[in-house]
Amino acid sequence: MEWEVVIGLETHTQLKTKTKIFSGASTTYGAEPNTQACEVSIALPGVLPVLNKQAVECAIQFGLAIDADIAPRSVFARKNYFYPDLPKGYQISQYELPVVGKGKLTIQVPPGKNTEAYEKTIHITRAHLEEDAGKSVHGAVEGMSGIDLNRAGTPLLEIVTEPDMRSAAEAVAYAKKLHELVQWIGICDGNMQEGSFRCDVNVSVRPKGTEKLGTRREIKNLNSFKFMQQAIEYETQWQIDTLEDGGKIQQATVLFNPDTGETRAMRSKEEANDYRYFPDPDLLPLIVTEEDKARVKATMPELPEAMKARFEADYGLSTYDAAALTASRTMADYFVSVVQAGAEAKPAANWMMGALSAKLNAEEKATADSPVSALQLAQLLKRIQDNTISNNAAKQVFEALWLGEGEVDEIIATKGLKQESDSGAIEAIIDGVLAANPAMVEEFKAGKEKAFNALVGQAMKASKGKANPAQVNEILKKKLT
Amino acid sequence: MINSSLNTLSQMLASKQISSVEMTNTFLARIQQYNPSINAYIALDEQKTLAQAQAADAKIAAGNAEPLTGIPFAQKDIFCAKGWKTTCGSKMLANFVAPYDAHVISQFDAVGAVNLGKTNMDEFAMGSSNETSYFGGVKNPWDFDRVPGGSSGGSAAAVAARLCAAATGTDTGGSIRQPASLCGFTGLKPTYGLVSRYGMIAFASSLDQAGPMAKSAEDCALMMNVMAGFDARDSTSLNRPKEDYTRGLSGVTGDQPLKGLRIGLPKEYFAEGLEASVAKVVQEAIAEYRKLGAETVEISLPNSHLSIPVYYVLAPAEASSNLSRYDGVRYGHRAAEYDDLMDMYMKSRAEGFGAEVKRRILIGTYVLSAGYYDAYYLKAQQIRRLIVQDFTEAFKQCDIIMGPTAPSTAFKAGEKADDPVAMYLQDVYTIATNLAGLPGMSIPAGFAPSHLGKPLPVGLQLIGNYFDEARMLDVAHAYQQVSDWHTHMPVGLE
């Protein structure tokens, strides 16, 4: 039987606010345990939550970015359960009425072994604000468990999709796109190692062509795209194998073990808590007005989709190039800087996706950390444009820029890469080449096109690579016909 | 002096007739004398108290005195006070020393008032007799065999026995007004949101409200000037302009100061369940109001009978969640021995909470459970809106509502301790105002003879419209100008 996997994601995005969602305690990562735990974080008797306006603005920004309904009135609820790192014995979250309603995100799924690249729209069910819990620390003191409440109360936006994805590749493409978007609009630092972006993936399988969803298992807390891919692939196969062996899937929460590459059930849903949600009487309903939305919108950067369309229209870039350049905010900003510094758009795009991307990938660097600045790349492209250097020479200059050997013109000068564009000088070189290679000239005249290229090569060689190749072509053609 | 009004005490301090230290010592001496039998205070710290009195004297000497500077108050043990044990009447917090000040505490500190100590209360404010306190019951100063009411029983007894100039309390279903009625003094529960709940240990967040417990309406007005006001740390705190609650008091003297005032008398509050002796005193007080120029109209609050059932769904629901933080992990009681995490939770909470608290946690957990939520919690919220509606309609016909505060006078200790429903009925006339968020008040209206001779105080309840505290205080003050019930002191405690 042919099977189909159905995937939905729940992503916990840590919002980039200075202080916690319901108190003034700092959210800075990595401080000594419990040094960022104020009386509200510790849940002392008598303390009360006060909603952080910046967190609300982050949620509104996200809602606007995915073209979602933003609730004029949403409600904070208490999710009640006991756990040592949950100081109040309940988590403040949004339950029935989330701040962000239905929205959508268009993803680019890269080509696979047997598939072409394609676009797909993923529907987002909701996004709601909530607070993070603290952390249990085991073994810091022999035989004891400690609680670090620095993270308790950190603002999270939980983003939930419809079960729209049909492969691990789609799920990863969605996660990457979302990861990029939240950084693009500046609401999350995207640091997956520090837990700023964590995904729970719901996976089920069903016979292809059927409608009814299979029983799902939820893979918890994936904090890398690689693990997500592996976990989904393993989990999908496991479910298919189980069903084909005549077994049944039990709804469960599973964990992925990166060492074994396997998923394993943590607890079954039957043992799940009854969270006894009810509206938090300490907080008023969250009201978002049209004015609030307009005010937030005015502060938002141009969104990737809009920028992509603009790149196509203004610069004549292909959809593919425009999509690639707007895959990340830093990439797009870099591109805009290069163009604004006077470089032509198409070569800029080609160089960014060619030499620059190759180097960045090879050295596992982010665009933001590129040793070649946008201004340097623009200068380099200008020198190609004004015929100072050839494309080949430009590659050498780029290498030198990467290694920090100086500025563009400086490198051209020291390396003697300036192109010869004086037609008199080139003519003299060509005359010499023609005189020295009568056989090649004969071959060309006999109809061998290849001989022409050989003569160009000889001329370039004679000029030590500095002659303008276009001029060499032109003059040589004139001389031979 | 111990029977003087806050204004008089303030004048005595201003005129250097007495220092704050002397005044404070007078009350501390009374506490030393009477508290062992009454058990009104559960935390005393003479050093801290006298240091505040000295600071107040310095403030007065420097000419920076405010109306309540140097006056000694009792604080209900529900308010966190930095460096003070703050127990909320529970074993769970028996050793908890608050590291921060509640808003109410810091408001009193800011004007240089003196904190005499923390007063006894029903555990986590759950009770109407102060008998659920881990630190033992409180005697009603009018009759030591009887309860002072609750949950602010310690503050009530301290005010009645003149063991403080005045006290703070909190009222979730009647916890200021019912003890005020049973102990014969003036207590005000303000409009929900007027006094910040920050640092006030939560029982039922949507109902809890702090207020003054004092001898007279005038004293309550002075305290309201200190207690009320916006606090950004409480999201339900109302951002309104500061009011002077004493502003109308001087205007209610003369022949018919309340001419034109329409008093609504809810027929449901004078029906079955009200003790005849209490009804008589309340009717007499209302007759007095007619003499002051007010007219009375019969009104109806048709959903009154649902107040108690609704309250005992909503308050326990909120409480069951509010009390989850007492898990033995970070502070408070932790069982000495346990096997694992779950065992630690279970033993710590089983040992740390008393029976009434456990009963309410059970009820609250039940009504919020999947499958019961709609039938209980949601339904109760719907009825709560009907109760609000009742008052909205009533205030179209009247300016203020009057009736009994409690159905009976102070009852004997132990009399209702094993009958929770009988105990819950103590708040039958007070709970609706909490559900509606309205201000309510109880003022001394006279005494009912008890069977064994000792007369017991009876309170008259005033219910105002939202933010109508100033008018309520004026109306109460007008009565206190022509009556002296609020000046009576329990026999033997002079």
Side-chain angles (χ1 to χ4, degrees), chain B residues 184-490:
Chain B
F185 62 90
T186 309
L188 168 66
K189 179 206 93 74
T191 303
Y192 182 80
L194 218 49
V195 178
S196 168
R197 293 183 295 118
Y198 191 79
M200 181 177 125
I201 298 177
F203 158 20
S205 312
S206 75
L207 302 157
D208 296 342
Q209 185 59 213
M213 300 171 80
K215 290 183 282 284
S216 66
E218 182 191 67
D219 287 2
C220 284
L222 285 164
M223 289 172 76
M224 278 299 286
N225 281 352
V226 171
M227 296 172 79
F230 177 64
D231 176 18
R233 298 170 301 179
D234 174 0
S235 305
T236 61
S237 170
L238 296 158
N239 198 350
R240 313 181 81 244
K242 259 285 195 198
E243 270 187 68
D244 175 9
Y245 291 94
T246 65
R247 65 185 185 272
L249 297 179
S250 56
V252 287
T253 48
D255 194 21
Q256 288 214 318
L258 300 181
K259 197 158 179 56
L261 183 79
R262 295 170 305 163
I263 297 171
L265 305 174
K267 60 178 187 198
E268 293 83 2
Y269 285 18
F270 294 90
E272 205 193 325
L274 177 63
E275 262 181 27
S277 60
V278 172
K280 184 167 170 284
V281 171
V282 169
Q283 291 293 6
E284 281 165 9
I286 290 164
E288 197 63 39
Y289 268 107
R290 288 194 194 96
K291 286 188 204 157
L292 291 169
E295 52 178 294
T296 54
V297 281
E298 189 186 87
I299 57 162
S300 177
L301 299 169
N303 293 295
S304 292
H305 64 291
L306 297 172
S307 296
I308 287 195
V310 164
Y311 179 88
Y312 279 98
V313 170
L314 297 182
E318 293 181 16
S320 70
S321 175
N322 283 333
L323 270 58
S324 292
R325 67 189 58 198
Y326 309 111
D327 57 6
V329 174
R330 300 168 314 288
Y331 55 79
H333 179 74
R334 186 192 288 184
E337 283 177 31
Y338 45 86
D339 298 331
D340 55 19
L341 178 65
M342 189 53 75
D343 197 39
M344 183 185 95
Y345 284 151
M346 294 202 297
K347 285 204 176 109
S348 300
R349 288 168 65 83
E351 295 167 7
F353 290 137
E356 183 60 28
V357 172
K358 284 178 193 164
R359 177 169 14 249
R360 298 201 196 185
I361 290 174
L362 283 171
I363 295 170
T365 304
Y366 179 82
V367 300
L368 289 175
S369 296
Y372 299 101
Y373 180 86
D374 289 3
Y376 290 100
Y377 183 85
L378 215 56
K379 180 66 81 184
Q381 286 289 23
Q382 287 162 353
I383 299 171
R384 184 178 188 172
R385 281 193 282 277
L386 295 179
I387 289 167
V388 173
Q389 196 62 39
D390 280 0
F391 282 107
T392 308
E393 288 303 314
F395 281 117
K396 286 177 184 165
Q397 300 163 59
C398 64
D399 306 307
I400 197 165
I401 294 169
M402 286 189 193
T405 305
S408 69
T409 52
F411 49 93
K412 292 213 163 146
E415 193 182 315
K416 299 180 198 289
D418 299 323
D419 186 351
V421 174
M423 188 72 86
Y424 296 170
L425 284 170
Q426 272 294 305
D427 295 329
V428 66
Y429 307 129
T430 48
I431 271 178
T433 55
N434 296 80
L435 290 168
L438 290 165
M441 215 177 156
S442 181
I443 61 173
F447 291 82
S450 83
H451 312 294
L452 285 170
K454 279 184 185 166
L456 293 170
V458 172
L460 171 74
Q461 186 176 207
L462 282 59
I463 300 170
N465 213 334
Y466 299 105
F467 311 116
D468 221 4
E469 285 81 358
R471 167 149 62 179
M472 293 164 72
L473 289 161
D474 291 350
V475 170
H477 184 68
Y479 179 78
Q480 289 178 343
Q481 296 303 294
V482 296
S483 69
D484 67 354
W485 306 117
H486 62 290
T487 65
H488 287 227
M489 264 188 71

Side-chain angles (χ1 to χ4, degrees), chain A residues 91-111:
Chain A
Q91 178 197 30
I92 305 177
S93 180
Q94 296 191 302
Y95 182 54
E96 282 182 333
L97 297 169
V99 60
V100 177
K102 285 185 186 352
K104 55 185 185 294
L105 194 61
T106 302
I107 61 167
Q108 283 78 34
V109 187

Side-chain angles (χ1 to χ4, degrees), chain A residues 39 42-50 78 80 82-84 87-88 90 149 274 276-279 281-282 284, chain B residues 80 96 99-100 197-200 205 232-233 235 321-322 324-326 330-331 341 345 349 365 368-370 373 377:
Chain A
E39 61 244 36
I42 305 172
L44 286 182
V47 297
L48 296 168
V50 177
R78 293 184 182 179
N80 294 284
F82 284 95
Y83 205 71
K88 294 188 294 300
Y90 57 85
L149 295 174
D274 176 357
R276 308 189 311 280
Y277 283 100
F278 75 106
D282 287 333
L284 303 175
Chain B
C80 285
F96 178 70
Y100 77 105
R197 293 183 295 118
Y198 191 79
M200 181 177 125
S205 312
R233 298 170 301 179
S235 305
S321 175
N322 283 333
S324 292
R325 67 189 58 198
Y326 309 111
R330 300 168 314 288
Y331 55 79
L341 178 65
Y345 284 151
R349 288 168 65 83
T365 304
L368 289 175
S369 296
Y373 180 86
Y377 183 85

Side-chain angles (χ1 to χ4, degrees), chain A residues 308-322:
Chain A
K308 179 178 151 230
R310 186 164 63 82
F311 283 1
E312 289 179 54
D314 293 3
Y315 302 128
L317 297 185
S318 69
T319 305
Y320 180 83
D321 287 357

